[in-house]
Amino acid sequence: MENHENRRVLIIDDNESIHADFRKILGASAPLTTAVESAAAALFDEPPASRPANLGFEIDSAHQGQEGLARVRQSLEAERPYALAFVDVRMPPGWNGVETVQRIWQVDRRLQVVICTAYSDYSWSETIDELGETDRLLILKKPFDNIEVRQLASALVVKWNLAQKANLNVRALQETVNEQTRAIRSAHDETVFRLVRASLCRDEETGSHIRRTGLCSELLAAAAGWSPERIEQLRLAAPMHDVGKIGIPDAILLKQGELTTKELIIMRAHTVLGANMLSGSQSPVFQMAQDIAMYHHERWDGKGYPSGLAGDEIPEAARIVAIVDVYDALTHDRVYRKELPEADVIQVMRDGRGTHFDPRLLEIFMSLLPEMHAIALAAPDNEEMVDRELSRYGFVGLFDQR
């Protein structure tokens, strides 16, 4: 769009004399004519005739609707759009004025139009029926008054320019909002990965597991019909599901054998510890993360922990992470066991349908197994990959002391 004020006007009329009239009304005064009028005024001792100052309009002409449409297209291609068009109603043998406006508005919805008519071919109501109720349309009756034409043209080009400035301001405001949104998301990402860093200091296998959990949960939520906003929140929240393990003693967290009853109770406390760590935030991401941390070990049949919730009582975000968490844990090595064969994992998951897992979400998850495998391949359990991933966030040399 032009940086300076747009005062470009298009006249669409089959009568050449009408074009001449508009040029006289809206165009500049000819210097020779002005000089003659001044000389005549001095000779007859009369004040010079009052003439309109140069209104600064840039006027183009078209003699048929088809030609007018072509000029509008050319103006857009050149990024020099018209602000206003005066369009005659009767222009045989081509399109009439209403059809011309309809076609022009298909390519330039911003263009303001004044329909000029000496006939009652279209009543105002019929014109509105054809073109719709809009503030971009006026009707001017022929023969028209010169002052009225100048006032219309001046007011409408000012209106066009103000509308474009308003649009630019809206776009600038939207970009500011987008930048702030990106900053907020970046802050969430940074917070998540700082928690990841803390987790990795305690449990070396957690890093890739956390990353895979976020990506797989995001994929499952999308397939389950979540909104883009909630999917993004889950992508950030899901990796924090085990953040409470920071509070579990190394002797239990890193134990390679079976846990005792007391140790198991302490290990299960990571759900409450994590929820407490994440509580009190006004952020939707951390509110969701709190629910996930607390409830991702609940079961569909109510036999999970820490609260024994069942079915839809369990937040859906936690039900999604529960499926992803178990699948990822079974398909990767842990300090207390080696990974299971894929076929065995699938059978375990299917056996948990309606008992451990939400049946609907589990079926969706099963349909996404190829995509889940791809995520697992992209985020394997190895220290080199984890170091490389964390280095993107400034966590360099995290494992140097191991």
Side-chain angles (χ1 to χ4, degrees):
M1 194 183 77
E2 300 169 334
N3 292 324
H4 57 81
E5 187 179 61
N6 178 11
R7 296 179 69 82
R8 301 192 70 216
V9 178
L10 177 62
I11 312 300
I12 307 176
D13 198 298
D14 62 333
N15 189 335
E16 180 59 39
S17 66
I18 297 296
H19 291 274
D21 289 341
F22 273 108
R23 291 185 182 279
K24 289 178 182 177
I25 296 169
L26 301 178
S29 301
L32 180 59
T33 302
T34 303
V36 170
E37 289 181 350
S38 297
L43 179 63
F44 295 103
D45 196 24
E46 294 178 354
S50 177
R51 298 180 58 87
N54 182 4
L55 299 177
F57 293 105
E58 183 180 347
I59 302 170
D60 285 337
S61 294
H63 294 81
Q64 289 290 316
Q66 293 91 330
E67 183 186 357
L69 177 60
R71 284 193 173 275
V72 170
R73 283 179 170 151
Q74 291 167 3
S75 73
L76 294 175
E77 291 171 1
E79 297 184 354
R80 300 184 68 244
Y82 294 106
L84 171 62
F86 287 92
V87 182
D88 189 23
V89 168
R90 285 192 175 184
M91 294 182 290
W95 304 331
N96 63 33
V98 172
E99 183 176 1
T100 298
V101 175
Q102 287 175 325
R103 292 176 180 266
I104 286 176
W105 274 350
Q106 289 175 3
V107 299
D108 187 0
R109 297 296 299 176
R110 300 177 301 171
L111 182 62
Q112 298 175 114
V113 173
V114 177
I115 288 185
C116 307
T117 177
Y119 305 95
S120 58
D121 301 280
Y122 285 92
S123 67
W124 177 248
S125 61
E126 289 172 329
T127 302
I128 292 301
D129 287 342
E130 292 288 336
L131 298 177
E133 191 79 43
T134 173
D135 65 352
R136 292 170 294 123
L137 178 67
L138 292 173
I139 289 183
L140 180 64
K141 294 290 186 180
K142 295 179 180 178
F144 39 72
D145 181 82
N146 292 2
I147 295 177
E148 183 179 5
V149 171
R150 286 198 298 270
Q151 289 177 329
L152 273 177
S154 296
L156 290 176
V157 296
V158 168
K159 176 173 170 286
W160 188 95
N161 284 284
L162 288 174
Q164 306 323 304
K165 290 177 182 178
N167 288 337
L168 287 176
N169 289 338
V170 169
R171 286 197 291 270
L173 179 60
Q174 185 59 55
E175 182 56 33
T176 299
V177 171
N178 291 341
E179 289 178 2
Q180 292 175 345
T181 300
R182 286 191 290 269
I184 292 171
R185 288 177 177 173
S186 177
H188 282 311
D189 278 343
E190 181 182 358
T191 301
V192 169
F193 277 91
R194 285 184 182 277
L195 288 172
V196 170
R197 183 183 187 184
S199 298
L200 287 171
C201 291
R202 305 290 321 292
D203 181 2
E204 294 180 5
E205 72 187 11
T206 302
S208 294
H209 171 65
I210 283 175
R211 182 166 182 260
R212 290 191 299 265
T213 300
L215 295 174
C216 292
S217 296
E218 175 186 28
L219 183 64
L220 179 52
W226 280 34
S227 69
E229 181 181 12
R230 292 191 70 216
I231 292 170
E232 174 68 8
Q233 291 169 1
L234 181 61
R235 182 185 71 82
L236 295 171
M240 292 183 272
H241 66 287
D242 274 340
V243 71
K245 287 184 176 180
I246 294 173
I248 304 302
D250 285 348
I252 297 174
L253 184 66
L254 304 179
K255 184 176 180 178
Q256 298 189 13
E258 185 176 350
L259 298 179
T260 66
T261 300
K262 181 179 179 180
E263 290 170 338
L264 186 60
I265 292 172
I266 295 173
M267 175 63 85
R268 288 182 172 183
H270 80 275
T271 56
V272 178
L273 290 173
N276 288 340
M277 289 176 60
L278 298 167
S279 65
S281 174
Q282 298 300 311
S283 163
V285 171
F286 285 99
Q287 290 172 354
M288 183 181 290
Q290 180 186 359
D291 281 346
I292 292 171
M294 176 69 86
Y295 301 120
H296 71 284
H297 283 294
E298 300 288 358
R299 290 170 49 112
W300 185 256
D301 60 8
K303 297 180 181 180
Y305 65 89
S307 302
L309 301 183
D312 291 334
E313 294 176 339
I314 308 168
E316 189 173 27
R319 284 180 268 149
I320 287 175
V321 173
I323 294 172
V324 170
D325 186 35
V326 170
Y327 176 79
D328 192 80
L330 294 177
T331 53
H332 292 84
D333 291 343
R334 290 293 178 262
V335 294
Y336 49 86
R337 59 146 180 81
K338 302 295 275 184
E339 68 178 77
L340 298 180
E342 178 73 12
D344 293 348
V345 173
I346 297 302
Q347 189 58 53
V348 170
M349 300 295 291
R350 291 200 179 279
D351 289 345
R353 184 182 186 277
T355 54
H356 195 145
F357 308 118
D358 179 329
R360 182 183 74 89
L361 291 176
L362 182 65
E363 288 305 312
I364 297 173
F365 177 84
M366 290 299 181
S367 71
L368 298 172
L369 284 177
E371 289 87 346
M372 300 297 174
H373 293 157
I375 290 173
L377 290 173
D381 277 338
N382 66 73
E383 295 176 7
E384 180 182 352
M385 185 284 301
V386 175
D387 276 328
R388 184 172 65 251
E389 188 66 26
L390 288 175
S391 68
R392 295 173 54 217
Y393 297 89
F395 306 140
V396 179
L398 181 61
F399 298 112
D400 291 349
Q401 304 303 317
R402 286 207 301 265

